[in-house]
Amino acid sequence: MLLPALSGAYGDDAEAIRVGDQRASREVLLSAATALADRIAGAAAVAVWATASMETVVAVVAGLLAGVPVVPVAPDSGPAERDHVLRDSAAALLLVPAASAGTAALAGVRTPVVVVDPAARAGTGRPEPAPESTALILYTSGTTGAPKGAPVSRRAIAADLDALADAWSWTPQDVLVHGLPLFHVHGLVLGVLGALRVGSRLVHTGRPRPEAYAAAGGSLYFGVPTVWSRVCADPSSARALASARLLVSGSAPLPLPVFGRLTELTGREPVERYGMTETLITVSARADGERRPGFVGTPVTGVETRLVGEDGAEVGRDGESPGELQVRGPMVFGGYLHRPAADAESFTPDGWFRTGDIATVDADGWHRIMGRASIDMIKSGGYRIGAGEVENALLAHPGVREAAVIGAPHPDLGQQVVAYVVADAATEAQLIEFVAGRISSHKRPRRVHLVEELPRNAMGKVQKKLLAGG
């Protein structure tokens, strides 16, 4: 069973699932989802207008019960992206909360809309769909064109959640707290389906505000670096997390200063992990193991990784030599929806998935992600420079709050290191000198742009392609 917590074996806790001000027992959730599953059964796929609401949880569970692929749609997606996802996935219905029906965000939608009723009830006992059937069709961010659909099977989700339960010592006694969007792997698969598979309670705070995290009283917290940075900026809220068992960070690298400050305020070293839409979570630090700032851990159960250089040869695990990270395991998807050319580019002939991320791996198997091969590996004057190393050097400056580094075209060097920095009190010259004093001089930024903010997506990842003008 994909969601054992709905089997009735975990009791009838009236607040087992909380989303904002909405509360439901597992029994109530199962009954409402079954009623909706009866309505959508037989559809090729259904889309879900994935707001932070109980209706989204009901709709996703309904699709899983009915064996109908669920397509989460970001409620802040523009009309072009929204319509592309609905059309590309062939979603027969769009499931929406009552609060969203008839709003401007849904204007022009041609897909039939069904309002989700979390108060609906129906008898349970639907047969379990086949493990290899598609559970979710998750769309990538589309940084290199229109978003691509990644079908993820029930078997892949189960394998990944079980591996994470092992890595994080996640049990039914935990209370999971997060406020992440419910249209991505982090917030939906880990943050909702994870709780329903493990049997832990779930508190979704609506938004990931520091004060909401502090008030939730959880034992296990999920956040992205932006969330943890804001928690650190609110010391009283951060200190309230000292009673938590585990703080997990993912979706983007956790800056070293944030790692240190979070540890100082909470007494808990955060656990970092690594994954993608296409692979779910493949690498993580463990609850019962060490934590290394700047590293995302070791492969979870069932996962194999390797590094491959530009020449196609495998790169040694010396902790220094970078290569493209390739993975394989039971949680890796089988290929994109309607994209055979993308599949050919993304998988090696011997079945490894090319992540497109540059990493190093040491002799103990610890992985350090250096960034995207396409934008975070800068080739300047014959040197290969990882943008993340330069960003961490900048963030060590007491006046720097945020930093993003890219390679911009240069007639002599090929590329030059260019930084975009949000700083309270620092000049371009001071920051260049500061970095040159901490890491190799050839890695220093040649230019530093002081900006008010960095462009980010819904998960807090910096959109470097919007900075690429140099």
Side-chain angles (χ1 to χ4, degrees), residues 221-262:
Y221 284 80
F222 291 167
V224 298
T226 301
V227 171
W228 295 125
S229 177
R230 291 172 181 172
V231 167
C232 290
D234 183 350
S236 62
S237 292
R239 293 189 183 100
L241 304 186
S243 60
R245 184 178 64 79
L246 208 64
L247 310 178
V248 180
S249 183
S251 298
L254 186 65
L256 299 183
V258 178
F259 185 107
R261 183 63 171 156
L262 190 61

Side-chain angles (χ1 to χ4, degrees), residues 50 72 74 136 138-141 181-191 251 277 457-459:
L136 303 172
L138 302 171
Y139 276 77
T140 63
S141 59
L182 299 185
F183 46 86
H184 284 302
V185 167
H186 200 166
L188 178 59
V189 179
L190 277 60
S251 298
T277 300
N457 65 12
M459 292 301 290

Side-chain angles (χ1 to χ4, degrees), residues 117 133 183 297 312 396 405:
D117 180 7
S133 61
F183 46 86
V405 169

Side-chain angles (χ1 to χ4, degrees), residues 223-408:
V224 298
T226 301
V227 171
W228 295 125
S229 177
R230 291 172 181 172
V231 167
C232 290
D234 183 350
S236 62
S237 292
R239 293 189 183 100
L241 304 186
S243 60
R245 184 178 64 79
L246 208 64
L247 310 178
V248 180
S249 183
S251 298
L254 186 65
L256 299 183
V258 178
F259 185 107
R261 183 63 171 156
L262 190 61
T263 301
E264 175 188 346
L265 290 169
T266 66
R268 297 284 181 268
E269 290 183 320
V271 159
E272 291 195 69
R273 89 305 182 276
Y274 166 82
M276 299 179 67
T277 300
E278 297 89 339
T279 68
L280 304 183
I281 307 307
T282 51
V283 179
S284 179
R286 296 182 60 88
D288 58 359
E290 66 174 313
R291 322 284 160 76
R292 298 184 187 179
F295 290 77
V296 293
T298 58
V300 300
T301 301
V303 171
E304 298 174 86
T305 66
R306 71 183 184 187
L307 298 180
V308 176
E310 292 180 335
D311 59 359
E314 195 161 344
V315 174
R317 299 188 168 216
D318 58 10
E320 297 292 336
S321 302
E324 183 196 36
L325 179 62
Q326 299 181 358
V327 303
R328 65 181 179 188
M331 60 284 294
V332 177
F333 84 141
Y336 295 104
L337 194 66
H338 317 311
R339 302 291 184 94
D343 293 343
E345 293 178 359
S346 299
F347 287 92
T348 67
D350 54 348
W352 294 77
F353 180 74
R354 298 181 171 109
T355 67
D357 285 322
I358 298 298
T360 63
V361 182
D362 69 14
D364 295 326
W366 277 79
H367 290 54
R368 180 165 62 97
I369 306 300
M370 301 178 69
R372 298 295 292 170
S374 59
I375 198 166
D376 288 313
M377 183 52 64
I378 302 167
K379 299 175 183 177
S380 181
Y383 294 102
R384 300 178 76 207
I385 302 167
E389 182 181 11
V390 185
E391 288 163 359
N392 280 326
L394 285 162
L395 288 166
H397 189 286
V400 172
R401 288 186 282 130
E402 298 180 80
V405 169
I406 64 170

Side-chain angles (χ1 to χ4, degrees), residues 2 154-164 197 300-301 330-331:
L2 180 59
R154 302 170 73 88
R155 190 188 304 277
I157 292 173
D160 200 54
L161 294 177
D162 289 348
L164 294 178
R197 184 163 180 82
V300 300
T301 301
M331 60 284 294

Side-chain angles (χ1 to χ4, degrees), residues 8-173:
Y10 290 82
D12 189 24
D13 181 351
E15 295 197 358
I17 301 101
R18 290 171 48 191
V19 185
D21 295 330
Q22 299 172 290
R23 292 163 168 77
S25 68
R26 299 182 184 95
E27 181 183 19
V28 166
L29 170 61
L30 178 60
S31 182
T34 300
L36 183 55
D38 291 340
R39 296 180 63 185
I40 66 177
V46 293
V48 174
W49 196 246
T51 61
S53 64
M54 188 67 72
E55 287 86 344
T56 293
V57 178
V58 169
V60 171
V61 172
L64 296 176
L65 293 175
V68 174
V70 172
V71 186
V73 180
D76 63 350
S77 58
E81 180 180 347
R82 175 201 68 195
D83 293 344
H84 165 74
V85 169
L86 294 174
R87 183 174 57 253
D88 188 67
S89 66
L93 302 168
L94 175 59
L95 312 181
V96 306
S100 299
T103 61
L106 295 176
V109 170
R110 296 184 179 182
T111 304
V113 172
V114 171
V115 174
V116 177
D117 180 7
R121 300 290 180 264
T124 59
R126 299 186 65 88
E128 180 78 5
E132 64 273 10
S133 61
T134 297
L136 303 172
I137 302 175
L138 302 171
Y139 276 77
T140 63
S141 59
T143 56
T144 57
K148 300 188 292 291
V152 182
S153 72
R154 302 170 73 88
R155 190 188 304 277
I157 292 173
D160 200 54
L161 294 177
D162 289 348
L164 294 178
D166 171 65
W168 299 341
S169 302
W170 190 355
T171 74
Q173 284 68 53

